[in-house]
Amino acid sequence: VRGVVDSEDLPLNVGREILQKSKMLSVINKRLVRKSIDMFKDIERKGETEYMKFWTNFGKYLKVGIIEDSDVKNDLAKLMRFWSSKSGEDHVSLAKYVEGMQANQTQIFYVTGDSKAAAARSPVLEKLKSVNYEVIFLTEPLDELMIQAIDSFDGKYIDSVGGLGKREKREKPIRAAVVVSVVAVAFNQQKQKENGNERNKHIPWV
């Protein structure tokens, strides 16, 4: 995106260190990013045919934006497009995927492949096809990093087909470990306090 920014508060010294530390430039940067995202949304509102022209040329940069800037990842996630096991020659957005989820489906699933055809041939798809679940195809080198950065969309976790049903099982031990850790810290602190009090009994001036 090329343009001109008019500001009365820009520092005259534009050395690299000044640019990195300038609060005003940081504010300008955030506003430019927000303005750019609004422009992308305007293109999307013109219709899928028009948006796909933009996506074909600039989609990879939006993916990089999700990976590098967590502040805008939720806005950019709505602009992502994917092939899927049900999209045919078209692309599907995450919002459209969620809209078409089965009543008992709680997660968004994806599979990786070197191409759309390779992803569609993945043997791990069979189980989900049998229950009519849609699966997103990730075919670009950036895709898996990008989808992991998004992590969830509209309250639905995003997970690989290979991790079918395993996210909850992974998270429960993590939560349990956190609880155990907190209890252990509290116990150690109490023990240290008791030991300290015991030592103080033998010090006349305490």
Side-chain angles (χ1 to χ4, degrees), residues 5-198:
V5 176
D6 183 15
S7 173
E8 297 178 357
D9 301 317
L10 281 174
L12 293 177
N13 186 343
V14 290
R16 183 174 180 181
E17 186 175 350
I18 298 295
L19 290 175
Q20 289 175 338
K21 292 182 178 179
S22 171
K23 290 183 179 179
M24 178 52 63
L25 288 176
S26 178
V27 171
I28 290 174
N29 179 63
K30 289 181 179 180
R31 289 181 179 175
L32 288 176
V33 169
R34 177 55 53 192
K35 186 66 176 177
S36 297
I37 292 175
D38 289 340
M39 290 169 58
F40 304 155
K41 290 179 179 178
D42 288 340
I43 298 172
E44 185 183 34
R45 281 191 282 269
K46 291 179 181 179
E48 202 63 17
T49 301
E50 192 68 23
Y51 183 71
M52 285 310 301
K53 294 177 184 177
F54 167 79
W55 174 257
T56 300
N57 289 307
F58 303 106
K60 62 182 177 181
Y61 301 109
L62 302 190
K63 295 175 184 179
V64 172
I66 287 177
I67 295 169
E68 294 187 347
D69 192 344
S70 59
D71 290 339
V72 297
K73 71 174 185 178
N74 291 332
D75 289 310
L76 292 177
K78 298 173 184 177
L79 297 169
M80 295 296 104
R81 293 296 185 271
F82 309 92
W83 279 309
S84 80
S85 57
K86 293 185 178 181
S87 68
E89 295 304 313
D90 297 324
H91 287 71
V92 62
S93 65
L94 288 173
K96 189 173 181 181
Y97 178 103
V98 170
E99 184 182 333
M101 285 175 63
Q102 300 301 305
N104 62 339
Q105 186 178 347
T106 59
Q107 291 173 257
I108 297 170
F109 291 105
Y110 69 85
V111 66
T112 59
D114 293 334
S115 65
K116 176 187 174 185
R121 290 195 301 267
S122 176
V124 297
L125 290 179
E126 295 307 315
K127 186 173 182 178
L128 290 181
K129 282 183 178 179
S130 67
V131 290
N132 202 28
Y133 283 9
E134 185 173 13
V135 179
I136 287 170
F137 296 159
L138 303 186
T139 59
E140 299 293 331
L142 280 174
D143 285 354
E144 195 163 9
L145 280 176
M146 174 268 298
I147 209 75
Q148 289 171 356
I150 297 173
D151 188 56
S152 65
F153 183 86
D154 197 19
K156 308 291 190 300
Y157 284 120
I158 305 174
D159 213 350
S160 71
V161 174
L164 180 61
K166 292 180 181 179
R167 181 183 280 266
E168 274 190 43
K169 293 177 182 178
R170 288 198 302 269
E171 290 184 346
K172 284 179 180 177
I174 291 172
R175 288 194 292 268
V178 170
V179 172
V180 170
S181 178
V182 170
V183 170
V185 169
F187 176 79
N188 287 335
Q189 288 175 343
Q190 181 62 28
K191 199 69 176 174
Q192 289 172 3
K193 184 178 179 181
E194 290 174 358
N195 291 339
N197 291 338
E198 189 65 30

